[in-house]
PDB file of all heavy atoms in Angstrom:
ATOM      1  N   ASP F  20      48.578 -91.031  48.036  1.00 94.00           N
ATOM      2  CA  ASP F  20      47.929 -91.155  49.339  1.00 94.00           C
ATOM      3  C   ASP F  20      48.974 -90.983  50.429  1.00 94.00           C
ATOM      4  O   ASP F  20      50.028 -91.621  50.387  1.00 94.00           O
ATOM      5  CB  ASP F  20      47.250 -92.531  49.482  1.00 94.00           C
ATOM      6  CG  ASP F  20      46.530 -92.675  50.821  1.00 94.00           C
ATOM      7  OD1 ASP F  20      45.811 -91.733  51.209  1.00 94.00           O
ATOM      8  OD2 ASP F  20      46.701 -93.722  51.481  1.00 94.00           O
ATOM      9  N   GLN F  21      48.693 -90.067  51.359  1.00 93.00           N
ATOM     10  CA  GLN F  21      49.588 -89.801  52.482  1.00 93.00           C
ATOM     11  C   GLN F  21      51.020 -89.539  52.012  1.00 93.00           C
ATOM     12  O   GLN F  21      51.990 -90.005  52.604  1.00 93.00           O
ATOM     13  CB  GLN F  21      49.536 -90.958  53.482  1.00 93.00           C
ATOM     14  CG  GLN F  21      48.146 -91.139  54.085  1.00 93.00           C
ATOM     15  CD  GLN F  21      48.067 -92.295  55.064  1.00 93.00           C
ATOM     16  OE1 GLN F  21      48.989 -93.109  55.190  1.00 93.00           O
ATOM     17  NE2 GLN F  21      46.963 -92.376  55.780  1.00 93.00           N
ATOM     18  N   GLY F  22      51.119 -88.794  50.916  1.00 95.00           N
ATOM     19  CA  GLY F  22      52.428 -88.393  50.410  1.00 95.00           C
ATOM     20  C   GLY F  22      53.162 -89.424  49.592  1.00 95.00           C
ATOM     21  O   GLY F  22      54.280 -89.173  49.139  1.00 95.00           O
ATOM     22  N   LYS F  23      52.552 -90.577  49.354  1.00 96.00           N
ATOM     23  CA  LYS F  23      53.214 -91.642  48.604  1.00 96.00           C
ATOM     24  C   LYS F  23      52.500 -91.882  47.277  1.00 96.00           C
ATOM     25  O   LYS F  23      51.274 -91.807  47.204  1.00 96.00           O
ATOM     26  CB  LYS F  23      53.232 -92.934  49.416  1.00 96.00           C
ATOM     27  CG  LYS F  23      54.018 -92.828  50.720  1.00 96.00           C
ATOM     28  CD  LYS F  23      53.964 -94.128  51.496  1.00 96.00           C
ATOM     29  CE  LYS F  23      54.735 -94.011  52.811  1.00 96.00           C
ATOM     30  NZ  LYS F  23      54.669 -95.273  53.601  1.00 96.00           N
ATOM     31  N   LEU F  24      53.269 -92.163  46.236  1.00 97.00           N
ATOM     32  CA  LEU F  24      52.712 -92.507  44.937  1.00 97.00           C
ATOM     33  C   LEU F  24      52.411 -94.010  44.940  1.00 97.00           C
ATOM     34  O   LEU F  24      53.318 -94.836  44.944  1.00 97.00           O
ATOM     35  CB  LEU F  24      53.704 -92.162  43.824  1.00 97.00           C
ATOM     36  CG  LEU F  24      53.245 -92.435  42.396  1.00 97.00           C
ATOM     37  CD1 LEU F  24      52.039 -91.569  42.039  1.00 97.00           C
ATOM     38  CD2 LEU F  24      54.385 -92.192  41.407  1.00 97.00           C
ATOM     39  N   LEU F  25      51.113 -94.354  44.935  1.00 96.00           N
ATOM     40  CA  LEU F  25      50.716 -95.752  45.018  1.00 96.00           C
ATOM     41  C   LEU F  25      50.596 -96.418  43.656  1.00 96.00           C
ATOM     42  O   LEU F  25      50.766 -97.630  43.548  1.00 96.00           O
ATOM     43  CB  LEU F  25      49.378 -95.881  45.760  1.00 96.00           C
ATOM     44  CG  LEU F  25      49.331 -95.356  47.196  1.00 96.00           C
ATOM     45  CD1 LEU F  25      47.985 -95.709  47.829  1.00 96.00           C
ATOM     46  CD2 LEU F  25      50.481 -95.911  48.022  1.00 96.00           C
ATOM     47  N   ALA F  26      50.255 -95.632  42.630  1.00 95.00           N
ATOM     48  CA  ALA F  26      50.090 -96.213  41.300  1.00 95.00           C
ATOM     49  C   ALA F  26      50.186 -95.109  40.262  1.00 95.00           C
ATOM     50  O   ALA F  26      49.842 -93.958  40.523  1.00 95.00           O
ATOM     51  CB  ALA F  26      48.742 -96.928  41.179  1.00 95.00           C
ATOM     52  N   CYS F  27      50.637 -95.475  39.065  1.00 95.00           N
ATOM     53  CA  CYS F  27      50.682 -94.531  37.949  1.00 95.00           C
ATOM     54  C   CYS F  27      50.542 -95.332  36.656  1.00 95.00           C
ATOM     55  O   CYS F  27      51.260 -96.318  36.459  1.00 95.00           O
ATOM     56  CB  CYS F  27      51.989 -93.740  37.946  1.00 95.00           C
ATOM     57  SG  CYS F  27      52.069 -92.492  36.626  1.00 95.00           S
ATOM     58  N   GLY F  28      49.602 -94.912  35.816  1.00 92.00           N
ATOM     59  CA  GLY F  28      49.440 -95.629  34.564  1.00 92.00           C
ATOM     60  C   GLY F  28      48.073 -95.440  33.949  1.00 92.00           C
ATOM     61  O   GLY F  28      47.486 -94.356  34.024  1.00 92.00           O
ATOM     62  N   ASP F  29      47.554 -96.503  33.357  1.00 92.00           N
ATOM     63  CA  ASP F  29      46.289 -96.484  32.624  1.00 92.00           C
ATOM     64  C   ASP F  29      45.132 -96.094  33.552  1.00 92.00           C
ATOM     65  O   ASP F  29      44.887 -96.770  34.556  1.00 92.00           O
ATOM     66  CB  ASP F  29      46.047 -97.881  32.044  1.00 92.00           C
ATOM     67  CG  ASP F  29      44.825 -97.943  31.145  1.00 92.00           C
ATOM     68  OD1 ASP F  29      43.959 -97.054  31.228  1.00 92.00           O
ATOM     69  OD2 ASP F  29      44.742 -98.898  30.350  1.00 92.00           O
ATOM     70  N   PRO F  30      44.395 -95.008  33.229  1.00 91.00           N
ATOM     71  CA  PRO F  30      43.291 -94.586  34.106  1.00 91.00           C
ATOM     72  C   PRO F  30      42.247 -95.665  34.325  1.00 91.00           C
ATOM     73  O   PRO F  30      41.746 -95.831  35.448  1.00 91.00           O
ATOM     74  CB  PRO F  30      42.695 -93.390  33.349  1.00 91.00           C
ATOM     75  CG  PRO F  30      43.807 -92.865  32.525  1.00 91.00           C
ATOM     76  CD  PRO F  30      44.602 -94.059  32.115  1.00 91.00           C
ATOM     77  N   ALA F  31      41.908 -96.425  33.276  1.00 89.00           N
ATOM     78  CA  ALA F  31      40.880 -97.452  33.407  1.00 89.00           C
ATOM     79  C   ALA F  31      41.277 -98.515  34.417  1.00 89.00           C
ATOM     80  O   ALA F  31      40.447 -98.993  35.204  1.00 89.00           O
ATOM     81  CB  ALA F  31      40.596 -98.084  32.049  1.00 89.00           C
ATOM     82  N   VAL F  32      42.548 -98.877  34.413  1.00 91.00           N
ATOM     83  CA  VAL F  32      43.033 -99.905  35.345  1.00 91.00           C
ATOM     84  C   VAL F  32      43.046 -99.373  36.777  1.00 91.00           C
ATOM     85  O   VAL F  32      42.575-100.028  37.707  1.00 91.00           O
ATOM     86  CB  VAL F  32      44.447-100.368  34.937  1.00 91.00           C
ATOM     87  CG1 VAL F  32      45.028-101.313  35.987  1.00 91.00           C
ATOM     88  CG2 VAL F  32      44.400-101.044  33.576  1.00 91.00           C
ATOM     89  N   ILE F  33      43.559 -98.165  36.964  1.00 91.00           N
ATOM     90  CA  ILE F  33      43.680 -97.602  38.307  1.00 91.00           C
ATOM     91  C   ILE F  33      42.312 -97.337  38.923  1.00 91.00           C
ATOM     92  O   ILE F  33      42.081 -97.622  40.100  1.00 91.00           O
ATOM     93  CB  ILE F  33      44.526 -96.322  38.266  1.00 91.00           C
ATOM     94  CG1 ILE F  33      45.976 -96.688  37.921  1.00 91.00           C
ATOM     95  CG2 ILE F  33      44.465 -95.568  39.592  1.00 91.00           C
ATOM     96  CD1 ILE F  33      46.889 -95.497  37.733  1.00 91.00           C
ATOM     97  N   LEU F  34      41.370 -96.825  38.137  1.00 87.00           N
ATOM     98  CA  LEU F  34      40.046 -96.497  38.677  1.00 87.00           C
ATOM     99  C   LEU F  34      39.239 -97.738  39.042  1.00 87.00           C
ATOM    100  O   LEU F  34      38.285 -97.660  39.826  1.00 87.00           O
ATOM    101  CB  LEU F  34      39.269 -95.646  37.668  1.00 87.00           C
ATOM    102  CG  LEU F  34      39.799 -94.223  37.462  1.00 87.00           C
ATOM    103  CD1 LEU F  34      39.059 -93.536  36.326  1.00 87.00           C
ATOM    104  CD2 LEU F  34      39.676 -93.410  38.750  1.00 87.00           C
ATOM    105  N   LYS F  35      39.619 -98.875  38.486  1.00 89.00           N
ATOM    106  CA  LYS F  35      38.911-100.117  38.799  1.00 89.00           C
ATOM    107  C   LYS F  35      39.537-100.872  39.960  1.00 89.00           C
ATOM    108  O   LYS F  35      38.993-101.891  40.406  1.00 89.00           O
ATOM    109  CB  LYS F  35      38.875-101.020  37.560  1.00 89.00           C
ATOM    110  CG  LYS F  35      37.959-100.514  36.456  1.00 89.00           C
ATOM    111  CD  LYS F  35      37.972-101.453  35.262  1.00 89.00           C
ATOM    112  CE  LYS F  35      37.066-100.929  34.145  1.00 89.00           C
ATOM    113  NZ  LYS F  35      37.110-101.821  32.952  1.00 89.00           N
ATOM    114  N   ASP F  36      40.669-100.397  40.460  1.00 91.00           N
ATOM    115  CA  ASP F  36      41.349-101.085  41.563  1.00 91.00           C
ATOM    116  C   ASP F  36      40.550-100.887  42.853  1.00 91.00           C
ATOM    117  O   ASP F  36      40.403 -99.758  43.327  1.00 91.00           O
ATOM    118  CB  ASP F  36      42.757-100.517  41.728  1.00 91.00           C
ATOM    119  CG  ASP F  36      43.582-101.280  42.742  1.00 91.00           C
ATOM    120  OD1 ASP F  36      43.129-101.433  43.893  1.00 91.00           O
ATOM    121  OD2 ASP F  36      44.695-101.710  42.389  1.00 91.00           O
ATOM    122  N   PRO F  37      40.020-101.954  43.440  1.00 91.00           N
ATOM    123  CA  PRO F  37      39.158-101.801  44.624  1.00 91.00           C
ATOM    124  C   PRO F  37      39.875-101.214  45.831  1.00 91.00           C
ATOM    125  O   PRO F  37      39.275-100.471  46.613  1.00 91.00           O
ATOM    126  CB  PRO F  37      38.663-103.228  44.901  1.00 91.00           C
ATOM    127  CG  PRO F  37      39.651-104.125  44.215  1.00 91.00           C
ATOM    128  CD  PRO F  37      40.141-103.370  43.028  1.00 91.00           C
ATOM    129  N   GLN F  38      41.156-101.513  46.001  1.00 90.00           N
ATOM    130  CA  GLN F  38      41.895-100.970  47.141  1.00 90.00           C
ATOM    131  C   GLN F  38      42.091 -99.464  47.000  1.00 90.00           C
ATOM    132  O   GLN F  38      41.929 -98.706  47.964  1.00 90.00           O
ATOM    133  CB  GLN F  38      43.244-101.670  47.274  1.00 90.00           C
ATOM    134  CG  GLN F  38      43.137-103.135  47.683  1.00 90.00           C
ATOM    135  CD  GLN F  38      44.498-103.779  47.846  1.00 90.00           C
ATOM    136  OE1 GLN F  38      45.463-103.413  47.168  1.00 90.00           O
ATOM    137  NE2 GLN F  38      44.588-104.740  48.746  1.00 90.00           N
ATOM    138  N   LEU F  39      42.418 -99.005  45.791  1.00 90.00           N
ATOM    139  CA  LEU F  39      42.591 -97.577  45.567  1.00 90.00           C
ATOM    140  C   LEU F  39      41.258 -96.845  45.674  1.00 90.00           C
ATOM    141  O   LEU F  39      41.190 -95.730  46.204  1.00 90.00           O
ATOM    142  CB  LEU F  39      43.228 -97.321  44.198  1.00 90.00           C
ATOM    143  CG  LEU F  39      44.637 -97.883  43.990  1.00 90.00           C
ATOM    144  CD1 LEU F  39      45.150 -97.554  42.595  1.00 90.00           C
ATOM    145  CD2 LEU F  39      45.602 -97.361  45.047  1.00 90.00           C
ATOM    146  N   ALA F  40      40.191 -97.472  45.183  1.00 85.00           N
ATOM    147  CA  ALA F  40      38.864 -96.861  45.289  1.00 85.00           C
ATOM    148  C   ALA F  40      38.463 -96.697  46.747  1.00 85.00           C
ATOM    149  O   ALA F  40      37.879 -95.676  47.141  1.00 85.00           O
ATOM    150  CB  ALA F  40      37.842 -97.711  44.544  1.00 85.00           C
ATOM    151  N   ALA F  41      38.784 -97.689  47.581  1.00 87.00           N
ATOM    152  CA  ALA F  41      38.453 -97.601  49.002  1.00 87.00           C
ATOM    153  C   ALA F  41      39.195 -96.446  49.661  1.00 87.00           C
ATOM    154  O   ALA F  41      38.638 -95.718  50.492  1.00 87.00           O
ATOM    155  CB  ALA F  41      38.794 -98.920  49.689  1.00 87.00           C
ATOM    156  N   ILE F  42      40.460 -96.252  49.288  1.00 87.00           N
ATOM    157  CA  ILE F  42      41.236 -95.131  49.829  1.00 87.00           C
ATOM    158  C   ILE F  42      40.639 -93.803  49.362  1.00 87.00           C
ATOM    159  O   ILE F  42      40.448 -92.880  50.145  1.00 87.00           O
ATOM    160  CB  ILE F  42      42.716 -95.239  49.396  1.00 87.00           C
ATOM    161  CG1 ILE F  42      43.373 -96.445  50.060  1.00 87.00           C
ATOM    162  CG2 ILE F  42      43.476 -93.968  49.750  1.00 87.00           C
ATOM    163  CD1 ILE F  42      44.763 -96.748  49.538  1.00 87.00           C
ATOM    164  N   TYR F  43      40.336 -93.737  48.078  1.00 82.00           N
ATOM    165  CA  TYR F  43      39.843 -92.481  47.501  1.00 82.00           C
ATOM    166  C   TYR F  43      38.518 -92.063  48.132  1.00 82.00           C
ATOM    167  O   TYR F  43      38.311 -90.872  48.422  1.00 82.00           O
ATOM    168  CB  TYR F  43      39.650 -92.641  45.989  1.00 82.00           C
ATOM    169  CG  TYR F  43      39.284 -91.366  45.290  1.00 82.00           C
ATOM    170  CD1 TYR F  43      40.268 -90.454  44.923  1.00 82.00           C
ATOM    171  CD2 TYR F  43      37.959 -91.050  45.005  1.00 82.00           C
ATOM    172  CE1 TYR F  43      39.942 -89.260  44.289  1.00 82.00           C
ATOM    173  CE2 TYR F  43      37.624 -89.866  44.376  1.00 82.00           C
ATOM    174  CZ  TYR F  43      38.621 -88.976  44.018  1.00 82.00           C
ATOM    175  OH  TYR F  43      38.289 -87.798  43.402  1.00 82.00           O
TER     176      TYR F  43
END
């Protein structure tokens, strides 16, 4: 997001993150 790597790892964990979902 905005040129920064916010998270990297398990897809199930990242897709369930409410903050990342709000950004996406």
Side-chain angles (χ1 to χ4, degrees):
D20 182 46
Q21 298 179 350
K23 298 178 181 179
L24 181 64
L25 300 186
C27 183
D29 186 341
V32 173
I33 292 175
L34 291 173
K35 289 180 181 178
D36 187 305
Q38 292 182 329
L39 297 180
I42 293 172
Y43 186 83

